């Protein structure tokens, strides 16, 4: 009897340990957070308005810099210092997307005094970027579901003055097609090497793709020439930035392995690397063969799949992020802030927050809570999407659930 009980207890402790590992990584540690009251005006999402509390490190404050938007997504700063932000309108595959200009930021109210529609009638605009070429011509790059476009950009204009160039085309079957639905977003970033990078999500939760562009990051010249696949095996790398001297991407794992795996991840992306999907996944620090597509481990050696720079909790959905160098406030200095959009299964209570990840040697890269409070019980107030440094002591944060842009700053 004692042997049986001891064996049971050992098995129980082992299962607890495995479950903790497969969740990805703990977000419990971090700076002390204090509540701040936020009030959103009446909107289609909150007809009666909404007041709730968000929690931030001591010494920080938060305001609503712009509101009344829809599914507001990713931001970029133009060569003349204006903030551009995409809006996908809603979760459906649609052509009602908008690119807004946020302008005339008032330092007293901490709000943008002017919001301008720069482009309208767009198919799911997720991401934008700016680039000035060797001839001094500035361009705005726009990533839609079906195309990568670029427009000539002229400072202070309220709309493009010419037609766009189509640099690349992507699968565009939409959500209802039996093969090719799922991920409608495309993300574009300009590298410090002058190349353009675009992330294209998978066509499914878990499958062997029929199109090489899926679940990959592609590289091209600024004019769209010399396109090639830069990295593969990234199921849905929605967050993409060039940090220091390389490409960094967040990536969301598949949904068929349960509530506690795989870990969602963040990678320092290397050229010609395969990050495993759909044959391998990461759980805790280890990589494992997917039992559905690579049960014997023969299709891809998971031991050769690069380990993530950060492993987040399963289904926490990391999206946009920003890197803050040593000139930033101490609380974010030499750190990433990452927006965790949150699991569609609210009962998991994963994500719905912004986390800090310390960079460099001597740090564990464990996510630490920085901004919380978007989900309390079953009451959902927001879903963080993208982060953009704004001024010396603050950053902007988009929320595609409430349709607002927050300004977070060190007082």
């Amino acid at each position: 009897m004692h042997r049986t009980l001891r064996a049971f207890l050992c098995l129980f402790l082992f299962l607890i340990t495995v479950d903790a590992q497969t969740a990805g990584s703990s977000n419990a540690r971090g700076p002390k957070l204090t509540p701040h009251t936020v009030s959103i005006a009446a909107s289609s999402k909150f007809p009666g308005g909404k007041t709730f509390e968000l929690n931030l490190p001591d010494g920080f404050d938060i305001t609503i810099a712009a509101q009344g938007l829809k599914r507001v997504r990713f931001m970029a700063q133009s060569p003349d210092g204006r903030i551009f932000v995409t809006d996908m309108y809603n979760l459906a595959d649609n052509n009602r997307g908008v690119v807004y200009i946020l302008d005339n930021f008032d330092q007293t109210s901490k709000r943008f005094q002017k919001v301008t529609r720069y482009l309208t009638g767009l198919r799911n605009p997720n991401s934008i970027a700016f680039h000035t070429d060797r001839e001094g011509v500035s361009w705005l790059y726009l990533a839609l579901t079906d195309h990568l476009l670029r427009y000539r950009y002229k400072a202070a204009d309220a709309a493009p003055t010419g037609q766009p160039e189509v640099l690349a085309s992507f699968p565009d079957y939409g959500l209802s097609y039996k093969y090719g639905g799922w991920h409608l977003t495309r993300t574009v970033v300009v590298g410090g090497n002058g190349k353009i990078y675009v992330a294209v999500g998978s066509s499914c939760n878990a499958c062997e793709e029929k199109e090489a562009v899926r679940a990959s990051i592609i590289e091209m010249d600024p004019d769209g020439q010399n396109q090639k696949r830069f990295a593969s095996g990234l199921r849905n790398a929605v967050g993409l930035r060039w940090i220091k001297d390389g490409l960094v991407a967040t990536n969301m794992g598949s949904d068929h392995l349960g509530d506690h795996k795989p870990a969602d991840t963040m990678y320092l992306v290397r050229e010609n690397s395969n990050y495993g999907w759909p044959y391998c996944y990461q759980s805790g620090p280890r990589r494992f063969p997917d039992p559905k597509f690579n049960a014997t481990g023969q299709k891809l050696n998971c031991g050769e799949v690069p380990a993530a720079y950060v492993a987040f909790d399963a289904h926490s959905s990391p999206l946009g992020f920003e890197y803050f160098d040593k000139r930033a406030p101490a609380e974010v200095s030499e750190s990433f802030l990452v927006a965790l959009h949150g699991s569609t299964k609210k009962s998991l209570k994963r994500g719905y927050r912004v986390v800090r990840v310390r960079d460099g040697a001597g740090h564990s890269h464990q996510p630490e809570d920085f901004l919380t409070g978007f989900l309390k019980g079953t009451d959902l107030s927001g879903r963080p999407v993208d982060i953009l440094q704004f001024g010396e002591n603050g950053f902007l944060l988009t929320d595609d659930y409430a349709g607002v842009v927050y300004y977070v700053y060190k007082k």
Side-chain angles (χ1 to χ4, degrees):
M1 179 64 71
H2 293 296
R3 289 182 180 178
T4 302
L5 178 60
R6 187 162 56 248
F8 174 79
L9 288 173
C10 289
L11 177 61
F12 178 73
L13 291 172
F14 171 76
L15 290 174
I16 290 177
T17 302
V18 169
D19 188 63
Q21 289 177 339
T22 57
S25 54
S26 172
N27 292 325
R29 303 182 304 166
K32 178 184 176 182
L33 306 183
T34 56
H36 296 259
T37 301
V38 172
S39 293
I40 298 177
S43 65
S44 58
K45 179 64 68 174
F46 304 120
K50 188 173 181 67
T51 298
F52 57 101
E53 289 184 340
L54 293 174
N55 308 303
L56 282 163
D58 290 343
F60 280 78
D61 206 348
I62 185 168
T63 63
I64 296 177
Q67 59 184 322
L69 308 175
K70 295 292 185 180
R71 193 184 174 195
V72 62
R73 297 286 287 179
F74 282 77
M75 299 172 284
Q77 190 164 24
S78 67
D80 54 329
R82 299 187 293 173
I83 302 301
F84 282 65
V85 61
T86 59
D87 191 322
M88 295 178 67
Y89 187 75
N90 63 23
L91 291 170
D93 183 7
N94 66 80
N95 291 287
R96 304 178 72 177
V98 178
V99 172
Y100 290 101
I101 306 171
L102 308 182
D103 213 351
N104 297 351
F105 185 76
D106 183 77
Q107 291 292 343
T108 301
S109 65
K110 304 293 191 294
R111 293 175 181 265
F112 290 100
Q113 301 298 303
K114 186 178 181 182
V115 178
T116 304
R117 289 173 173 249
Y118 184 79
L119 285 164
T120 61
L122 304 171
R123 186 173 182 188
N124 312 312
N126 179 66
S127 173
I128 50 176
F130 290 91
H131 174 64
T132 301
D133 63 25
R134 295 176 181 177
E135 286 71 41
V137 178
S138 293
W139 299 91
L140 181 151
Y141 291 79
L142 176 62
L144 307 176
T145 294
D146 47 358
H147 295 110
L148 175 67
L149 308 178
R150 75 168 182 174
Y151 296 81
R152 282 182 178 266
Y153 179 75
K154 186 177 179 181
D157 272 359
T161 55
Q163 293 299 308
E165 298 178 17
V166 178
L167 303 187
S169 297
F170 309 116
D172 63 347
Y173 310 122
L175 293 172
S176 61
Y177 190 68
K178 64 179 180 180
Y179 179 87
W182 282 77
H183 299 126
L184 297 174
T185 61
R186 315 287 179 244
T187 305
V188 59
V189 69
V190 181
N193 57 1
K195 297 286 188 178
I196 307 299
Y197 296 89
V198 182
V200 181
S202 69
S203 68
C204 57
N205 172 43
C207 64
E208 294 178 315
E209 295 285 8
K210 299 177 182 178
E211 298 156 306
V213 71
R214 290 287 197 175
S216 73
I217 296 173
I218 60 174
E219 178 193 80
M220 67 186 75
D221 294 337
D223 61 359
Q225 298 299 307
N226 299 312
Q227 294 184 25
K228 67 176 185 178
R229 187 164 65 175
F230 183 79
S232 61
L234 293 158
R235 177 178 171 273
N236 195 26
V238 180
L240 196 63
R241 277 190 184 274
W242 187 275
I243 304 294
K244 298 179 182 178
D245 60 350
L247 202 61
V248 182
T250 54
N251 183 56
M252 288 180 278
S254 54
D255 297 330
H256 69 291
L257 297 172
D259 288 345
H260 304 298
K261 57 185 179 182
D264 285 341
T265 48
M266 182 175 181
Y267 294 104
L268 308 181
V269 184
R270 299 293 178 249
E271 186 172 4
N272 297 322
S273 293
N274 184 333
Y275 291 88
W277 184 89
Y279 304 113
C280 304
Y281 67 91
Q282 181 158 335
S283 185
R286 298 177 60 191
R287 278 80 70 211
F288 299 90
D290 187 291
K292 184 176 180 180
F293 297 98
N294 192 26
T296 63
Q298 294 182 343
K299 290 188 175 180
L300 184 64
N301 182 352
C302 298
E304 296 179 354
V305 171
Y309 181 76
V310 186
F312 301 102
D313 287 341
H315 312 301
S316 55
S317 301
L319 295 182
F321 56 92
E322 179 67 288
Y323 181 79
F324 297 82
D325 64 23
K326 60 183 178 182
R327 296 170 292 181
E331 293 84 351
V332 296
S333 176
E334 297 183 284
S335 299
F336 292 92
L337 289 184
V338 185
L340 302 183
H341 195 233
S343 171
T344 53
K345 190 176 180 179
K346 288 193 292 185
S347 61
L348 293 177
K349 302 186 187 303
R350 306 267 174 78
Y352 303 104
R353 66 192 65 213
V354 173
V355 295
R356 177 181 70 183
V357 177
R358 293 293 195 184
D359 186 33
H363 296 292
S364 66
H365 305 156
Q366 283 283 95
E368 303 169 342
D369 282 351
F370 188 89
L371 172 55
T372 66
F374 291 102
L375 177 66
K376 291 185 178 179
T378 59
D379 183 21
L380 179 60
S381 300
R383 302 187 75 179
V385 176
D386 190 31
I387 299 167
L388 181 69
Q389 188 168 1
F390 188 65
E392 294 182 357
N393 296 312
F395 62 89
L396 300 172
L397 172 69
T398 54
D399 175 345
D400 70 352
Y401 181 81
V404 304
V405 180
Y406 292 101
Y407 176 51
V408 180
Y409 61 99
K410 181 74 176 289
K411 291 185 292 187

